[in-house]
Amino acid sequence: MKTAIIYASTYGSTRKVAQTLNQKIPDSTLVDIKKQSIDPANFDTIILGSSIYIGQVDKQMKNFINGYKEVLKNKRIGIYFCCGFEENLQTYLDTNFDKEMIKDAIAMTMGGEMDVSKMSFAHKMITRMVPKSEQGKNREVTLHPEKVEEFVKQMFSQTE
Ligand SMILES: Cc1cc2nc3c(=O)[nH]c(=O)nc-3n(C[C@H](O)[C@H](O)[C@H](O)COP(=O)(O)O)c2cc1C
């Protein structure tokens, strides 16, 4: 069973998760959709990983999803997001994906990373406007490596 792990990352956290998935899933191919192209028709399972910026998945990921809509409908789909507001998982799914595509998909958030020193000027500015948590402290954004295992389990324990 062939799996494609297709990801879009700006600062690397989504890439890290994709690389871990690649190590854990036998016969899997890692694709950076910002640099490579891929025909999903050649795979049984497609994992789509994207970071979220201002509520949106990466533009190149969106182009890929839209370009292969029909092919992707007939695949086993896994979706993960690296993001700060994990409670918005369903909203991010609904806004960025076709209903048909997410209907039977396994979808999870994996947490994220916010390293201001790596950010572009524009991203730094936007980050300053992100609301603080109720405690008045900065919301802590960290990756959850333990969720990768859970995601793989859910993806591959599904019955055909
Ligand atoms: C400018 C900016 C905007 C962001 N907007 C959102 C957002 O709307 N929702 C969210 O959950 N996370 C948001 N995040 C958090 C990112 O999704 C998170 O940092 C993620 O780990 C980035 O992934 P990457 O390192 O693969 O690019 C934002 C981060 C930045 C810097």
Side-chain angles (χ1 to χ4, degrees):
M1 194 169 64
K2 287 167 72 181
T3 302
I5 302 160
I6 303 166
Y7 71 90
S9 182
T10 300
Y11 296 113
S13 59
T14 315
R15 176 177 302 111
K16 277 188 212 164
V17 173
Q19 287 166 339
T20 311
L21 285 166
N22 186 216
Q23 285 163 7
K24 289 187 187 290
I25 302 170
D27 204 7
S28 63
T29 302
L30 193 58
V31 179
D32 178 349
I33 203 62
K34 286 171 173 271
K35 294 189 180 141
Q36 300 161 269
S37 58
I38 184 173
D39 184 352
N42 300 327
F43 296 85
D44 312 292
T45 302
I46 309 285
I47 295 176
L48 303 165
S50 182
S51 41
I52 300 281
Y53 289 92
I54 334 249
Q56 300 295 310
V57 302
D58 181 273
K59 199 166 166 225
Q60 273 140 307
M61 176 60 79
K62 236 183 199 176
N63 291 343
F64 171 78
I65 295 164
N66 290 333
Y68 287 102
K69 229 180 236 174
E70 292 308 313
V71 181
L72 292 172
K73 267 183 200 164
N74 301 314
K75 302 288 175 187
R76 182 202 301 255
I77 301 284
I79 298 167
Y80 75 87
F81 298 130
C82 281
C83 61
F85 296 92
E86 297 188 69
E87 65 277 21
N88 294 345
L89 169 66
Q90 194 58 49
T91 310
Y92 296 153
L93 285 170
D94 293 340
T95 347
N96 292 283
F97 291 84
D98 245 37
K99 262 205 182 82
E100 185 77 13
M101 202 186 293
I102 55 174
K103 176 162 69 75
D104 299 315
I106 300 294
M108 263 189 207
T109 56
M110 298 288 175
E113 288 174 324
M114 298 276 284
D115 183 351
V116 179
S117 70
K118 283 190 193 169
M119 283 179 202
S120 66
F121 180 73
H123 279 176
K124 274 185 193 146
M125 290 295 114
I126 296 166
T127 304
R128 279 199 198 155
M129 297 188 291
V130 172
K132 316 262 179 197
S133 71
E134 298 80 2
Q135 293 83 24
K137 292 186 207 133
N138 278 317
R139 171 187 284 255
E140 206 177 324
V141 180
T142 52
L143 279 176
H144 310 308
E146 71 286 357
K147 288 185 83 176
V148 177
E149 196 70 53
E150 176 60 28
F151 183 76
V152 174
K153 224 188 264 173
Q154 287 196 26
M155 281 295 310
F156 296 97
S157 65
Q158 269 183 335
T159 47
E160 293 291 310

